[in-house]
Amino acid sequence: AAGCISWRGMVSDPSFAPAYRLRRGAPPMLGFLYDDRPAGEHWISHFLPTATSPPLAARDRQHRHALDSRHGLALFYTPRSHAHFLVCDLVTGEHWEIRADPKCYKIIWSNLLQEMHSLRENEQISCNASVLCAKDGCDHRDCHGGPFLVALVGSDVEGDTYMNHAAVYSSATREWSDVTSVEQENVIDGTGHSAVVGNTVYAPCVEDDSVVVYNTREKKLSVIAAPLEVEDQEQQPYLDLMGLEDGMLLFASVVKPRLYLWTMEAGPRGAAGWARRRVIELGPLLPLPVLEDKSDVSAVGFAEGVCVIFLKTRVGLYTMELSPGKGKKVHRGYINKVMPYMSFYTGAWEPLPASDEA
């Protein structure tokens, strides 16, 4: 489609596109978002394309902190804008600015780790934020222009009591829900990946293999335990929630030279079922110096639907296909969180080039 006008016109045709997308099963990964923030500087959000023709609106943006990407949308925190959050469709270029309701401030700027004033000066938020499509009956193969939700899940301390709070914004009503609060010892990891099943958001906890569950429809919070199964507890590091694989929660951890993966069934109300474990040898997939080095190798992202996991190493960022098991270096930097952007893109949102430009 990037190099052939006739092919681009065919895959963009309204009569062909739905069948093509249905046959694909899942949108392709067009690229991934990651952040850079030099000491004392502002946030810079980067987009690295992995497809031949990247989305039109995908480029580096200053004063934007990428928080999440799902269902063809990307969520940013924009501390130097009049709006707190920005939701973007990187293919069509549509964007929506969102101001947080004052009742959400205790979620966004928790006093659990630092004073609120310090967090604002550092342009930092302490909650876990997720964006998700809110269109009824959508299969999320080609989400564009429909309603969406932004869910915030965070922790705070009130006196000697630890609290979890959550609220959700609806683009349909342009309003925030009331804050749901519950007393819990599980502290939300504001920098971790979230997962979404239906209207339920799963947020990881800090230094704890448990997950806080927020049902955005019923406005309820609960906690489930991650499926930790190891013979030697000291050899197994903290499990990282990656996202969804085949409708189940996916957890990952690396104990060189192996990648451990767990999947857990999760229902719309947060109930967890059985789990299974897989072990993948990293020796054939990563350079020997990386595996011999004492520094950590960790999973920092997962592309849902195409089963590609991102591994952070001291020499750069690698992608690994879980099946059949192929590794590839995609970036030289040291990236702590990768947010894959999944969507269909054929160039239908821009004029087709002349034949001598194709």
Side-chain angles (χ1 to χ4, degrees):
C4 177
I5 295 176
S6 59
W7 174 252
R8 184 191 301 185
M10 182 177 69
V11 299
S12 303
D13 187 273
S15 63
F16 177 86
Y20 172 71
R21 285 150 172 71
L22 182 64
R23 187 174 181 82
R24 282 275 313 192
M29 178 171 60
L30 300 182
F32 60 87
L33 293 155
Y34 68 97
D35 283 331
D36 181 27
R37 190 181 177 210
E41 299 295 331
H42 51 72
W43 287 106
I44 303 176
S45 174
H46 303 276
F47 180 87
L48 185 64
T50 56
T52 304
S53 184
L56 303 179
R59 58 181 185 271
D60 294 349
R61 302 290 181 92
Q62 294 188 358
H63 307 298
R64 290 190 185 179
H65 175 21
L67 301 175
D68 191 33
S69 177
R70 184 179 291 103
H71 301 160
L73 299 171
L75 174 64
F76 301 90
Y77 173 55
T78 53
R80 299 200 177 190
S81 171
H82 67 278
H84 296 104
F85 300 100
L86 184 70
V87 173
C88 295
D89 185 322
L90 301 184
V91 169
T92 66
E94 291 181 279
H95 62 276
W96 301 266
E97 295 182 337
I98 303 172
R99 284 194 60 83
D101 191 288
K103 61 189 175 185
C104 299
Y105 287 177
K106 63 182 176 182
I107 307 176
I108 302 172
W109 300 291
S110 168
N111 61 11
L112 183 62
L113 301 178
Q114 300 182 43
E115 293 296 326
M116 185 181 298
H117 178 68
S118 176
L119 283 172
R120 288 176 176 174
E121 282 186 344
N122 293 333
E123 300 185 351
Q124 185 75 20
I125 65 174
S126 58
C127 65
N128 193 290
S130 305
V131 62
L132 57 148
C133 172
K135 184 178 180 180
D136 291 337
C138 185
D139 58 13
H140 306 309
R141 287 189 175 93
D142 193 27
C143 303
H144 292 292
F148 62 84
L149 303 176
V150 173
L152 306 180
V153 184
S155 301
D156 200 1
V157 60
E158 298 179 4
D160 296 330
T161 303
Y162 288 96
M163 303 290 294
N164 283 348
H165 306 286
V168 62
Y169 172 85
S170 169
S171 67
T173 63
R174 298 184 180 181
E175 294 181 352
W176 289 90
S177 70
D178 291 334
V179 175
T180 301
S181 301
V182 62
E183 180 179 344
Q184 291 177 350
E185 297 181 356
N186 309 83
V187 179
I188 303 298
D189 182 1
T191 62
H193 292 279
S194 61
V196 171
V197 178
N199 292 299
T200 302
V201 175
Y202 296 79
C205 296
V206 177
E207 298 180 354
D208 189 333
D209 293 316
S210 58
V211 177
V212 170
V213 184
Y214 177 47
N215 189 312
T216 62
R217 179 165 293 175
E218 299 180 2
K219 310 300 186 295
K220 292 183 179 180
L221 283 167
S222 57
V223 179
I224 59 175
L228 186 60
E229 296 180 11
V230 292
E231 297 178 357
D232 187 350
Q233 297 285 343
E234 295 182 356
Q235 294 298 317
Q236 182 63 45
Y238 169 71
L239 291 178
D240 290 305
L241 175 63
M242 291 285 100
L244 291 183
E245 183 187 25
D246 297 330
M248 295 190 290
L249 301 181
L250 177 69
F251 300 83
S253 65
V254 177
V255 181
K256 291 185 295 185
R258 297 179 180 90
L259 169 68
Y260 293 85
L261 298 172
W262 285 263
T263 48
M264 173 192 286
E265 289 183 333
R269 298 180 182 273
W274 56 268
R276 65 184 180 191
R277 186 180 73 170
R278 284 178 289 167
V279 180
I280 299 176
E281 297 289 339
L282 296 177
L285 305 174
L286 295 178
L288 184 60
V290 172
L291 298 176
E292 292 179 340
D293 188 76
K294 294 183 179 180
S295 61
D296 289 335
V297 175
S298 58
V300 293
F302 179 67
E304 298 178 2
V306 296
C307 294
V308 173
I309 199 163
F310 291 79
L311 297 177
K312 175 185 69 175
T313 77
R314 67 176 180 85
V315 298
L317 183 71
Y318 285 79
T319 58
M320 191 183 72
E321 298 179 24
L322 299 186
S323 178
K326 296 180 180 179
K328 178 182 179 182
K329 188 174 182 179
V330 294
H331 194 275
R332 295 180 180 179
Y334 195 75
I335 300 174
N336 291 314
K337 183 178 180 180
V338 170
M339 289 148 283
Y341 183 77
M342 318 290 294
S343 186
F344 288 97
Y345 175 72
T346 59
W349 288 274
E350 68 173 338
L352 295 176
S355 58
D356 58 352
E357 297 175 346

